Amino acid sequence: MSLDALAGPEERVPPEPAVLELPELTAPAGAPIGVRVIDGGILEIVLPANAEIGGAEARVAGSAARRLANGRRMPVMLVITGVVGVSVEARHIYASSIAPSAFAVVGVSPVDRVIAHYLLRSPGETIRAEFFTSEAEAVQWLGQFTSEA
């Protein structure tokens, strides 16, 4: 039993706001979905490779993203390298989880590129969005949008 289990709600130590992992949400391969803030205000969501991302996974990741964004518009980097697929429900949940100032999807394979274009298509959307094959390039591009919060 952890100390948090014995403490009242006001006595619990809050999780570190800059890093939030979701170990309770694992893909078939056992990898968690990672959600954290990096490089001065970029919200990074890393989906596990070899996994099909459905609504349940998207809801938990979206909830974590909303907690970290805390009502602010932030640039978002979604890493989908090796993801097998993303359901329609998950796509809608990610699109409505937060209001990003910009959106970068990172992947390396042709399949990743197809999934990225599926995630990025949204009629009437005015948010800047790009696909990258390098996380460093995505972070560099998103850096211009960190002050729009």
Side-chain angles (χ1 to χ4, degrees):
M1 180 178 293
S2 72
L3 291 176
D4 268 357
L6 298 173
E10 297 80 32
E11 301 170 309
R12 292 189 179 130
V13 177
E16 173 62 38
V19 177
L20 178 60
E21 292 292 333
L22 305 171
E24 72 277 5
L25 180 65
T26 58
I33 293 175
V35 180
R36 65 186 183 149
V37 176
I38 61 169
D39 287 3
I42 297 170
L43 184 59
E44 176 189 62
I45 302 170
V46 180
L47 302 180
N50 302 314
E52 174 80 30
I53 307 302
E57 294 87 354
R59 274 189 290 283
V60 173
S63 175
R66 280 190 303 279
R67 284 194 307 258
L68 286 175
N70 197 26
R72 297 171 291 160
R73 288 175 50 90
M74 299 177 73
V76 175
M77 179 172 69
L78 179 64
V79 180
I80 62 166
T81 302
V83 167
V84 175
V86 177
S87 73
V88 172
E89 180 184 14
R91 178 179 173 264
H92 290 293
I93 291 167
Y94 283 128
S96 64
S97 291
I98 64 167
S101 56
F103 197 72
V105 179
V106 179
V108 295
S109 74
V111 172
D112 295 340
R113 185 178 293 274
V114 169
I115 292 171
H117 287 289
Y118 167 71
L119 288 168
L120 294 175
R121 72 172 182 179
S122 181
E125 192 58 56
T126 59
I127 296 169
R128 294 283 313 265
E130 297 284 337
F131 175 77
F132 295 89
T133 56
S134 158
E135 287 186 36
E137 289 176 8
V139 167
Q140 183 178 5
W141 180 77
L142 287 169
Q144 67 186 312
F145 302 101
T146 57
S147 63
E148 293 183 20

